[in-house]
Amino acid sequence: MTSPVSALKTKESLPRIHYYSRANLEKMPCLDRLSAEQVHAIRVVSTVLPFKVNQYMLSLIDWNQVPRDPIFQLTFPQRAMLSPEHFDRMANLLRSQASPGEVQMAARKIQKELNPHPSGQMEHNVPTLDGQRLPGMQHKYQQTVLFFPAQGQTCHSYCTFCFRWAQLVGQEEVRFASRQVETLVEYLKRHREVTDVLITGGDPMIMPTRILQGYLEALLQPGLEHIQNIRIGTKSVSYWPYRYLTDPDADELLLLLDKVASSGKQLAIMAHYNHYRELESEPAQRAVARLRSAGCQIRCQSPLVRHINDSPEVWERMWKLQTRLGLVPYYMFVERDTGPRNYFEVPLARAHEIFRQAYRRVSGLARTVRGPSMSATPGKILVEGVAELGGQKVFVLKFLQARDPNLVGQPFFARFDPEATWFDQLKPVSGEGFFNLAPALAAAGQNAPYQACEGQPLFAAASR
Ligand SMILES: *Cc1c(COP(=O)(O)O)cnc(C)c1O
Ligand code: SF4
């Protein structure tokens, strides 16, 4: 029997999350491992870009390798993330003891210059119900509706490269989040083409179990039989595995997930992992095991980010570890054209090479992964490869998802450009734009998109 005293002791030794950010940086353990210059850079850059880290993530950092350590790069602002001009502007304000209001106004101005809303997300994808716009939802691809619960718009730690950074620094909270599960349900009832709901954030797993329960159970109700897959986009399995182990409502969470996973729908955890080190710790692997035993499928996605995972070895080792632990590698994304992109971006040609090098070293079980993929305005565009077309070097591209479903699976070409880092920098091969292949193929009766690639009629003829 446990005495009250030892019960108390156990309770105290349970890890409770402690956050460190700009506001309490001086209290952060390991601060003495950083130079005065590094601390200054963190203070300056975090006026503009999100910064929050917890004690578990601090423990994953190899402090002897700082600043090169990938987990440090993942969670700590670096001086070069701002342009020298922006950095100096903020540094001068801090030095002159400007008021918090002044600092914030200057930061806002810089944030606006960093393309805070990439890919027309705000304008194009907000659905409507009876003529009313539904904030907190996005419906871009036929099958999948994204839902941003209001209480899930923060994370257990912040990624320095986050493409939703504007939301985290408070620029779009109100417009992008929803409390209304009723409108979601009503919308879904009228959209029978939707099979997937993706609950995302921020990080929905930041929500207490009882709040998450409201959202999840609403999706199990009669009338929503066409919703076959419920997905939760989260980095919590990496950033705070104790969410599934020892948090006060961890057991209730696992029971809830088990309930959803046994409802006849797939419950997919769309887990965000950037580096194998996030999966090597013992709590990380125990959290994965608990999720799997609750019946969740765990699929893994990550952007390719310079300074963090821009080598084939990192991806190979990560995909192998994921596969061994029963996780499914899913997407390698190209880092979006927002925020500190200059610091993180990798040219598309290099991204494809990294993908290919890693992909060919893993077994078929890990080749469920697709990439590198750009989430651009017209859709998710895969860089399939580099080839020769009529004596010209080209990128072979393909839509994995498209606003216009006719384009999905259709290969198309762009002029090879070793420096290009995003779709908008690519040029079509001919003057007629990118997607002129679709009508041409349809006219030739080759509707099956993959045939056009595997049978290679267009491709081979043109390269002769
Ligand atoms: C990636 C994405 C999805 C999901 O696409 P899948 O290929 O089905 O994983 C849905 N909506 C948006 C806006 C996306 O970017
Ligand atoms: S966990 Fe996701 S939403 Fe949160 S900071 Fe990282 S990338 Fe952004």
Side-chain angles (χ1 to χ4, degrees), residues 121 125 138-141 143-146 164 196 198 231 270 301 330-331 333 336 370 375 380 400-401:
Q121 287 200 77
N125 304 320
Q138 275 184 44
H139 192 184
K140 180 170 177 179
Y141 308 129
Q143 314 82 357
T144 306
V145 164
L146 267 53
R164 293 199 173 127
D196 291 34
L198 171 50
R231 312 195 205 177
M270 309 305 290
Q301 48 194 30
Y330 189 64
Y331 272 138
F333 290 120
R336 291 199 196 207
R370 290 159 306 156
S375 284
K380 277 194 172 64
L400 295 174
Q401 280 289 10

Side-chain angles (χ1 to χ4, degrees), residues 155 157-159 161-164 168 201-203 235 239 272:
C155 314
S157 177
Y158 289 153
C159 312
F161 57 76
C162 179
F163 76 91
R164 293 199 173 127
L168 303 176
D203 195 322
K235 195 158 171 72
Y239 272 173
H272 177 186

Side-chain angles (χ1 to χ4, degrees), residues 157-430:
S157 177
Y158 289 153
C159 312
T160 42
F161 57 76
C162 179
F163 76 91
R164 293 199 173 127
W165 63 278
Q167 181 173 312
L168 303 176
V169 296
Q171 279 221 335
E172 56 182 38
E173 261 167 352
V174 192
R175 282 196 285 173
F176 236 40
S178 174
R179 288 177 191 280
Q180 289 166 309
V181 73
E182 297 81 15
T183 44
L184 171 68
V185 168
E186 193 49 41
Y187 182 84
L188 293 174
K189 282 187 175 161
R190 296 198 211 167
H191 287 268
R192 314 284 306 176
E193 76 280 14
V194 177
T195 56
D196 291 34
V197 173
L198 171 50
I199 302 176
T200 181
D203 195 322
M205 290 300 195
I206 200 92
M207 294 191 281
T209 301
R210 70 193 149 76
I211 306 277
L212 187 63
Q213 183 163 10
Y215 290 114
L216 288 177
E217 287 182 348
L219 296 172
L220 303 183
Q221 63 184 266
L224 294 181
E225 287 76 15
H226 55 295
I227 305 305
Q228 298 172 11
N229 308 306
I230 299 174
R231 312 195 205 177
I232 301 176
T234 184
K235 195 158 171 72
S236 58
V237 202
S238 158
Y239 272 173
W240 188 244
Y242 302 102
R243 180 72 190 92
Y244 307 93
L245 302 173
T246 51
D247 269 6
D249 57 354
D251 291 345
E252 287 84 347
L253 177 61
L254 270 295
L255 282 172
L256 170 66
L257 298 178
D258 195 312
K259 178 179 169 185
V260 177
S262 9
S263 72
K265 302 185 198 292
Q266 168 163 186
L267 179 55
I269 302 296
M270 309 305 290
H272 177 186
Y273 290 108
N274 310 110
H275 199 280
Y276 55 81
R277 289 249 304 275
E278 295 168 80
L279 258 171
E280 282 180 346
S281 86
E282 189 259 350
Q285 299 195 1
R286 270 196 296 138
V288 163
R290 277 203 103 186
L291 279 166
R292 294 193 64 223
S293 64
C296 302
Q297 273 275 0
I298 308 175
R299 293 176 197 269
C300 305
Q301 48 194 30
S302 164
L304 169 59
V305 202
R306 191 149 54 96
H307 304 290
I308 296 177
N309 59 18
D310 58 333
S311 82
E313 291 71 29
V314 172
W315 290 86
E316 174 192 355
R317 188 160 159 188
M318 180 164 74
W319 290 338
K320 281 181 172 167
L321 178 55
Q322 288 168 348
T323 304
R324 177 163 70 77
L325 296 174
L327 286 66
V328 184
Y330 189 64
Y331 272 138
M332 174 203 270
F333 290 120
V334 178
E335 176 62 3
R336 291 199 196 207
D337 53 340
T338 178
R341 64 177 296 184
N342 295 329
Y343 188 80
F344 290 121
E345 67 192 358
V346 177
L348 297 174
R350 171 86 186 128
H352 174 256
E353 200 45 39
I354 291 171
F355 180 89
R356 202 169 69 103
Q357 296 277 348
Y359 188 81
R360 69 185 191 203
R361 295 180 209 152
V362 297
S363 91
L365 287 184
R367 291 187 190 168
T368 45
V369 70
R370 290 159 306 156
S373 163
M374 286 173 277
S375 284
T377 311
K380 277 194 172 64
I381 301 169
L382 177 76
V383 182
E384 186 99 84
V386 176
E388 287 247 327
L389 187 68
Q392 191 182 354
K393 209 169 172 189
V394 297
F395 280 120
V396 183
L397 306 168
K398 189 175 85 177
F399 277 105
L400 295 174
Q401 280 289 10
R403 192 184 294 283
D404 171 3
N406 290 317
L407 293 176
V408 173
Q410 191 71 68
F412 64 102
F413 307 103
R415 281 186 216 168
F416 181 76
D417 174 350
E419 312 286 330
T421 55
W422 194 251
F423 183 58
D424 61 2
Q425 296 159 8
L426 296 180
K427 306 254 176 336
V429 172
S430 72

